[in-house]
Amino acid sequence: MKIIDSHLHIGSLSDTELVTPGQVKSDLASYGVTGGLVMPFAKRGGGDDWEVHKQLYRTALDAGFDIALYVNPDMLKMYNDLSSYLNFPFKAIKIHPDAVCFSDCELHHICELALTLKLPLMIHTGADDCCRSGRFEPFVKQYPNLNYILCHARPAEEAFPIIKRFENVWIDTAFLSFEDLRSNLTQEIEYRILFGTDFPANRWFPHLGNENQWYKHQISNIENAFSENVSEKILSTNYCRLFGNS
């Protein structure tokens, strides 16, 4: 079965470690993953180096990956000077409201940018008020023509009701509790679930154990718990449908 990872990272894993697209590609090949969507790591507090990002995008494309444009509020101030970025064939826009604070005004701005570029908007979600899934429901309502991906689907008790109410909302499985996925999966939403791992952000969490076993477990959980038809949707078909890949 074809497997595509919708949530991958490149760039500065730490102050001393730079993860290259080539390294990610090599690791994924050992897990049977054929490709996916990569984006630079978010730098907590901002101060991202946009020139470094552009070089990462170029090498990621050369390695055969799809790319997502990472945006923070500083970049929004450069809105009239995005020409050097728009030359890249981005598949999505990614924001991380936990790493860098977004005001509601800035969130409206990013929604309008995503609509203009006709790209899905990926949003990191978490437990804090700044990035809880429920915070983004008003934007989902206001921009019904924009596809949203609530990365991590957190908290699950907020994310799953949203995806069930709004057909323009997707989620990924990156660090999503498998029990939350299994208990909430229904026919109405199985075509809007994307396989994602946040790889190699798992290296920040030593308690996850052996990386090879951890990654393979993300795949086997889905293959073993669901029918072949549903597993194929989550592991690849949904990705191809959303991002236009064959």
Side-chain angles (χ1 to χ4, degrees):
M1 184 183 299
K2 188 175 183 180
I3 303 170
I4 307 175
D5 194 324
S6 69
H7 194 152
L8 298 163
H9 284 287
I10 51 178
S12 298
L13 180 67
S14 67
D15 290 339
T16 58
E17 183 177 358
L18 183 71
V19 177
T20 68
Q23 291 168 342
V24 174
K25 183 176 182 179
S26 176
D27 288 336
L28 292 184
S30 67
Y31 308 133
V33 178
T34 59
L37 184 69
V38 297
M39 60 212 75
F41 281 106
K43 187 173 182 180
R44 189 160 292 277
D48 299 89
D49 189 326
W50 305 118
E51 293 305 314
V52 170
H53 284 196
K54 284 191 279 189
Q55 183 57 42
L56 288 169
Y57 295 138
R58 293 187 188 99
T59 54
L61 289 170
D62 289 342
F65 286 110
D66 293 328
I67 54 174
L69 172 62
Y70 173 72
V71 177
N72 71 21
D74 289 338
M75 190 172 181
L76 289 178
K77 298 172 185 177
M78 301 161 52
Y79 183 74
N80 293 321
D81 189 29
L82 281 176
S83 57
S84 61
Y85 281 98
L86 300 183
N87 288 328
F88 288 93
F90 292 111
K91 295 288 187 176
I93 292 176
K94 168 70 181 298
I95 62 172
H96 199 305
D98 187 38
V100 186
C101 181
F102 278 79
S103 67
D104 282 358
C105 180
E106 289 166 337
L107 287 173
H108 282 292
H109 195 166
I110 196 69
C111 289
E112 291 164 1
L113 174 62
L115 276 174
T116 298
L117 299 180
K118 299 180 180 179
L119 296 174
L121 177 58
M122 304 179 71
I123 305 174
H124 167 94
T125 63
D128 294 334
D129 288 345
C130 61
C131 58
R132 295 177 70 92
S133 291
R135 181 191 180 192
F136 308 107
E137 184 170 352
F139 299 91
V140 170
K141 292 179 180 177
Q142 185 166 347
Y143 301 94
N145 294 322
L146 175 60
N147 283 318
Y148 295 83
I149 304 167
L150 300 180
C151 303
H152 316 296
R154 293 186 295 213
E157 61 269 23
E158 293 180 8
F160 280 97
I162 292 173
I163 189 178
K164 290 174 181 178
R165 285 197 297 270
F166 301 98
E167 292 200 354
N168 58 325
V169 178
W170 301 57
I171 61 172
D172 72 22
T173 64
F175 290 113
L176 170 63
S177 159
F178 182 70
E179 290 307 315
D180 283 334
L181 175 61
R182 181 162 54 184
S183 63
N184 285 282
L185 189 65
T186 63
Q187 282 189 323
E188 65 182 319
I189 69 169
E190 65 187 26
Y191 63 94
R192 284 181 282 127
I193 310 288
L194 300 166
F195 173 67
T197 62
D198 215 359
F199 180 83
N202 55 290
R203 294 173 187 168
W204 291 331
F205 309 106
H207 68 275
L208 294 176
N210 178 274
E211 180 171 280
N212 183 60
Q213 293 178 358
W214 171 82
Y215 196 103
K216 289 182 177 179
H217 195 53
Q218 309 309 302
I219 299 170
S220 63
N221 270 344
I222 294 170
E223 290 180 327
N224 295 335
F226 306 123
S227 68
E228 183 176 352
N229 180 50
V230 172
S231 296
E232 187 173 12
K233 286 178 182 176
I234 296 173
L235 292 173
S236 62
T237 305
N238 291 343
Y239 182 100
C240 296
R241 188 163 54 82
L242 179 61
F243 297 115
N245 292 48
S246 58

